[in-house]
Amino acid sequence: FYTMSMAERDQVVNYNRSYFYEGVTFYAHGASGAGLSPVYRFYVTNVGSHFYTISEDERARVQLRQPNFNFEGTSWWGTTTAGGEALPIYRFYNPSTGSHFYTISEAEKEYVRTNDPNWRFEGIAYYGWPR
């Protein structure tokens, strides 16, 4: 679960024992700006997890075809292109659980790809900034 809201973070940390707080994993922009695109968040009701996409086409397809994905709006702004200090945020999918996993860490990406066959690598979701 990722959020830019400290209040939402605190609510989850204090009242939802199914999550374990791991700290800041990457940075993003809290408002639109030049070269930035919205990152959309969905709550996957049958899985109890969240799905994030920067793609307008993917957002529209999910809203049209996935009734168990509740659209929660824009979470933050990222970029679709590499450059400057922006690093890729990688997305994985677990077909057994229906959940997604995201990481900005190249080492974590390679570890999961090499050692955990439960996760299918989906590539770069978008670009964010390292902590």
Side-chain angles (χ1 to χ4, degrees):
F1 176 72
Y2 303 94
T3 183
M4 284 196 73
S5 165
M6 289 190 301
E8 186 176 41
R9 177 206 61 200
D10 292 346
Q11 179 75 20
V12 170
V13 167
N14 293 324
Y15 300 106
N16 190 332
R17 299 295 173 213
S18 62
Y19 289 95
F20 176 77
Y21 183 63
E22 296 184 49
V24 175
T25 55
F26 61 87
Y27 290 102
H29 289 267
S32 182
L36 300 176
S37 299
V39 175
Y40 302 108
R41 185 172 89 181
F42 291 85
Y43 178 68
V44 187
T45 58
N46 63 324
V47 177
S49 67
H50 290 84
F51 172 75
Y52 303 84
T53 183
I54 201 169
S55 166
E56 291 288 342
D57 290 340
E58 187 172 44
R59 179 202 47 81
R61 277 193 315 276
V62 168
Q63 285 184 293
L64 183 65
R65 299 181 184 151
Q66 300 289 338
N68 58 316
F69 282 51
N70 287 344
F71 183 63
E72 295 185 331
T74 299
S75 287
W76 52 78
W77 282 260
T79 182
T80 57
T81 58
E85 295 181 21
L87 296 176
I89 296 175
Y90 303 105
R91 188 169 84 187
F92 290 84
Y93 174 68
N94 185 320
S96 298
T97 65
S99 60
H100 287 83
F101 166 70
Y102 304 81
T103 184
I104 197 169
S105 166
E106 187 71 28
E108 186 173 39
K109 175 199 81 166
E110 287 306 317
Y111 179 84
V112 172
R113 289 184 77 183
T114 303
N115 298 295
D116 195 339
N118 296 307
W119 293 98
R120 185 175 76 204
F121 182 62
E122 292 189 328
I124 297 171
Y126 55 92
Y127 294 82
W129 294 267
R131 52 186 158 107

